[in-house]
Amino acid sequence: MSRNGDLFVRRSKNSEGKIDVDKPLWSQDTYFGRWMHYAFITDCRTVFVSEKKLREAKKLCEDYKAGKEPVGLQHKDIIYAKKLKDSAFHPDTGELMHVFGRMSFQLPSSIVLTTAMLTFYKSTYGIIASQLINQGINAVVNYTNRSAMNDDPEDVSMIHQAFALATTASCAAALSFKKILSNKGALFERFVPFCAVAVGNIVNLPIMRQREITRGIPIFTKDGDECIMMSRIAAIKGISECIITRILMAAPGMLLVPAVTQRLRLYCFYQFRSWVVMPIEIGLSTICLLVMIPSALAIYPQRNSMKPGLMKMCPGEYEEFQKAMGEHAHPDRVYYNKGL
């Protein structure tokens, strides 16, 4: 995406004509607005920016917000600084995220891993190796993009245990699907990587974010910044939305690419140029991921909502909500940060 951000300003200006660096540049109430926002912050070129420049960009945004920006600062400069800040720093803690855990790293890492999984789907050792790496990176991504407002520094051992269990479960799923689908035909066998990735995400995300399920995540009123309470139902809903997002993100590439390459095997030129499969897989995977990363992330707003009545599913949580609201009018919806 171009650094020239003049066209991005219109939806993010306040009454004084300044850009609100704490909010997306596009309305998050529409799918198109969310798509533009995620395409903006998942630009893979930002992973090559040095830590020094990232911190300078964050400092520029903070100065701009406080009205201390340098003389002559242009809109395109503050927009690019915001892009770097949003792509590299956690929205809850403000801490610099590990490069492997950033959503902007999804494109290059997913291209490599998808190609590897589609290439070595017949080899048991290849499946284990690719799933270990894939779920290892997924674990880093899932932890990095968690809702971090209730972090506990004493949870390091739990993180290590969750990582080990998630990677073990995903490898077991891959080998199980390989055995189940191996007798269903060559095309179905090539869908083993997608099945493994889908199951791996279903296992990986809840395990890596189990603290949110056990402790809950903060919920707010629509315009409020003060936490009402901690909700486990909101945590479960948010994590479920992230699981759906991750599976849909991987689906087109991991289902379409095998179908195309399997079709190529029917043509005679494949017998003499079998090497052509690799660049085709890489090219198709790149196209699918370029489209699907922002498309899948945009399905749900990051600051999503739910009806308070949904908390009745968890014994005692709705009563706690009623006590927390006291005599105040109960809102139609409460809001939470679902993570990514």
Side-chain angles (χ1 to χ4, degrees), residues 1 28 30-43 103 106-107 241-242 244-253 286-302 338 340:
M1 186 169 289
Q28 298 300 284
T30 66
Y31 179 82
F32 177 75
R34 294 193 294 272
W35 193 97
M36 292 294 290
H37 170 66
Y38 286 117
F40 182 68
I41 67 171
T42 60
D43 186 341
M103 280 297 167
Q106 283 288 286
L107 180 63
E241 291 162 351
C242 289
I244 294 171
T245 295
R246 298 296 179 80
I247 293 175
L248 292 178
M249 189 185 297
T286 302
I287 294 171
C288 289
L289 288 165
L290 275 171
V291 174
M292 287 308 301
I293 288 175
S295 298
L297 290 173
I299 293 173
Y300 302 104
Q302 183 164 350
K338 71 175 181 65
L340 290 177

Side-chain angles (χ1 to χ4, degrees), residues 150 211-220 227-238 306-308 310-312 314 317-318 320-321 334-336:
N150 59 341
R211 294 170 304 161
E212 298 176 33
I213 299 174
T214 57
R215 300 173 186 172
I217 59 175
I219 57 174
F220 311 86
C227 172
I228 298 174
M229 58 176 283
M230 308 297 286
S231 170
R232 285 177 288 174
I233 294 298
I236 294 170
K237 185 173 181 289
M306 68 179 187
K307 293 183 177 180
L310 196 61
M311 288 186 279
K312 294 178 181 178
C314 183
E317 187 165 301
Y318 187 70
E320 183 182 348
F321 169 75
V334 291
Y335 293 78
Y336 58 90

Side-chain angles (χ1 to χ4, degrees), residues 110 112-140 163-178 189-204 250 254:
S110 296
V112 173
L113 290 168
T114 299
T115 304
M117 285 187 282
L118 294 178
T119 301
F120 303 111
Y121 70 97
K122 284 188 176 183
S123 167
T124 299
Y125 292 112
I127 288 175
I128 293 175
S130 60
Q131 287 302 319
L132 277 172
I133 297 172
N134 180 50
Q135 293 305 325
I137 291 179
N138 277 349
V140 174
F163 169 77
L165 185 55
T167 50
T168 300
S170 60
C171 288
L175 295 175
S176 298
F177 276 106
K178 180 178 183 297
E189 190 176 6
R190 290 182 67 89
F191 292 154
V192 167
F194 171 71
C195 296
V197 167
V199 172
N201 277 317
I202 293 172
V203 173
N204 198 321
M254 302 198 80

Side-chain angles (χ1 to χ4, degrees), residues 263-323:
R263 182 71 177 178
L264 288 177
R265 296 174 186 272
L266 302 177
Y267 296 94
C268 59
F269 79 89
Y270 173 81
Q271 305 299 326
F272 303 99
R273 299 179 181 86
S274 58
W275 56 266
V276 78
V277 171
M278 180 70 76
I280 289 176
E281 286 184 342
I282 294 174
L284 290 176
S285 296
T286 302
I287 294 171
C288 289
L289 288 165
L290 275 171
V291 174
M292 287 308 301
I293 288 175
S295 298
L297 290 173
I299 293 173
Y300 302 104
Q302 183 164 350
R303 194 174 190 266
N304 208 355
S305 65
M306 68 179 187
K307 293 183 177 180
L310 196 61
M311 288 186 279
K312 294 178 181 178
M313 297 174 60
C314 183
E317 187 165 301
Y318 187 70
E319 286 79 1
E320 183 182 348
F321 169 75
Q322 290 179 313
K323 290 180 181 178

